[in-house]
Each structure stands twice: as C-alpha cells, then as structure tokens.
Amino acid sequence: MKIINFGSINIDHVYSVDHFVRPGETLSSKDYAVFSGGKGANQSIALARANADVVHVGKIGLDGIWLQEKMEKEGIDTHLVKIVKAPTGHAVIQVNSEGENAIIIHGGANETFKSADIKKALKTAEAGDIVLLQNEINAVDKILKHTKDKDLKVVFNPAPMTDAVKEYPLELVDIFIINETEGEALSGESKPEKIIKAMGKLYPKSAVVLTLGKKGVLYSEGKTVIKVDALKVKAVDTTGAGDTFIGYFLAELSRGIKIEKCLKAAVKAASICVTRKGAADSIPRLEVYI
C-alpha cells in the first residue's frame, strides 16, 4: 500500500544557542544553518528512507523549488506538489545546549490548500492506502471529510497542536500519533496511562500512539496496550525525532509488520536521528541503520 501525505514543506533556519531566548533578551547564536523542513516533508523523507511508497501532496513558492527537487532525489513522488504565488513556509528554530528545540513557524504556501487539491490527490488513492496528516497545513478538516467515503487508513499527527484541532471530525481518524503535550490537550489528562484511557473513551474506534521521549512509547487499541522503551543515546538535536518515528512506524505498518515491531523500528530510527543535527538531514536510511 502507498502512503499519501498531505503535508507542509518548509525552509528551516536553525540557530544554535546556549539557552532559549527570553522576553526582552537579544541573544547571539553560536551557529546558523539552513535545512529542508516542515513536518510533512520530514515525514515523507522518513517514509522514503524507510523504503515506503510515498506520495507527497504539498504547496511551495518559487523560493522552495530546491525542496521539491530534494524530495524527488529521496524517491518521493512529488507530482502533487504545486508551486503557488505565496512564499514557501519557513521555521525559525532555536537549538539549546541540551539538544532541545523551540520553533516559530510561518505557514506561507502551506496554508493555500483548496478542495480541488484534495479531490485531485485522493483520486490517486486505492483501497487500503494510508492518508497521513499533520497540522501545519490548512484544510485538515476538509481532508478528513473527503476521506470519509473511501476505504483508507487515516493517520493524524496533530502537531502543532491548536484549539482548532478539537473542532475537526476526529472520529474519522484511524490512528492518532501524539506526544504528551498533544495528548493532554486532546484528552484533558497529563499522565500517559490516563491520556491513553481518555483517548480510548473519546475515540473508541481509533488507535493511539503516544510518544514519551526518553520514556519510550505507548500504543493503545481497544484493550490492547503495548509499551516500548526508548534507547539510551546522547541527544544533539531532537528536531526531527518525532517525524522520523512517524515515518518509520508507518513504513513498517504499510508492509504488514506487527505493531510491536513497527514501534521498535520507529524508536530505533528516532534514537539515531537525535544524535545528528538538522531535521530532514538527520533522518537515517533503512539500509544503513539496519
């Protein structure tokens, strides 16, 4: 099965700092670099590097043509990436001495999706295909509604989390992939076990993958709960870890691999990602990391 990813494509401006800038503070960076980014593009690259069949649906400005070319070189089908008049989305990323990040995003072209784009993309879908969504583009609610009458598996990563997410038709989501912050916002609970339980009550037909950083990951579907521990590594930059996890998890899932093995593969790939700088550039390749 293929994975159709409706996702953001960004230019990432990354600044290395001792600590995150505080209100009223002017802070000099120790280093600066430009990377390809956007949760959508990062997840498509992770999928491609995990040897999945991925079609990316996205929008860029003229300043982002190099991003599309880079995605094509990764083996991603980009025939549904459209060039528009708006500037390419971009992110300003601070990475502190602990490898943690703080991010400001400007949507740009990512916020120009229309119903016609959605319909055109879903015409390529076949029964059993996976539709992947994040929350860095507009029209997520419309995309969910358009998948309703098709035999597709819908996976939603509600990042960045906003109040609008709760207004989406989330009952149409087959798998939520969330971190603790997103889980708390959706469920009203703060402890992992309670988040999982509350999500099960709110969305009984959905599976939930709850990533816990250094504590690993929890998976819940009905009465089934699976816990996979994280691997101990020295983190340099956590920027692309979540996207790497999602890409490898879904790549394995698309090949019919059992859930626990999908989770373990995703955890291993994410653990490698955090030992490298950058987002997309830090995602490991399947043939190398295995």
Side-chain angles (χ1 to χ4, degrees), residues 182-202:
E182 295 148 5
E184 182 173 358
L186 284 171
S187 69
E189 299 288 348
S190 58
K191 294 184 178 179
E193 292 76 12
K194 290 187 176 181
I195 290 173
I196 287 288
K197 189 174 182 179
M199 289 291 292
K201 289 182 179 179
L202 288 168

Side-chain angles (χ1 to χ4, degrees), residues 59-62 82-87 109 112:
K59 300 289 191 79
I60 55 174
L62 288 172
K82 186 176 180 181
I83 300 172
V84 297
K85 291 182 179 180
T112 63

Side-chain angles (χ1 to χ4, degrees), residues 245-280:
F245 177 94
I246 290 169
Y248 269 79
F249 174 76
L250 293 181
E252 294 290 271
L253 189 68
S254 72
R255 290 189 276 268
I257 305 299
K258 291 184 178 180
I259 290 294
E260 187 167 359
K261 288 188 176 180
C262 293
L263 294 169
K264 287 181 177 179
V267 165
K268 184 176 180 181
S271 72
I272 294 171
C273 171
V274 301
T275 65
R276 305 169 176 176
K277 289 187 177 182

Side-chain angles (χ1 to χ4, degrees), residues 80-124:
L80 291 171
V81 173
K82 186 176 180 181
I83 300 172
V84 297
K85 291 182 179 180
T88 301
H90 67 265
V92 175
I93 303 172
Q94 299 176 66
V95 179
N96 69 13
S97 57
E98 301 296 320
E100 299 171 322
N101 61 70
I103 306 172
I104 299 173
I105 296 173
H106 174 67
N110 295 316
E111 297 181 347
T112 63
F113 278 83
K114 298 178 181 178
S115 291
D117 302 313
I118 301 166
K119 291 177 182 178
K120 182 179 179 180
L122 291 179
K123 279 184 179 179
T124 68

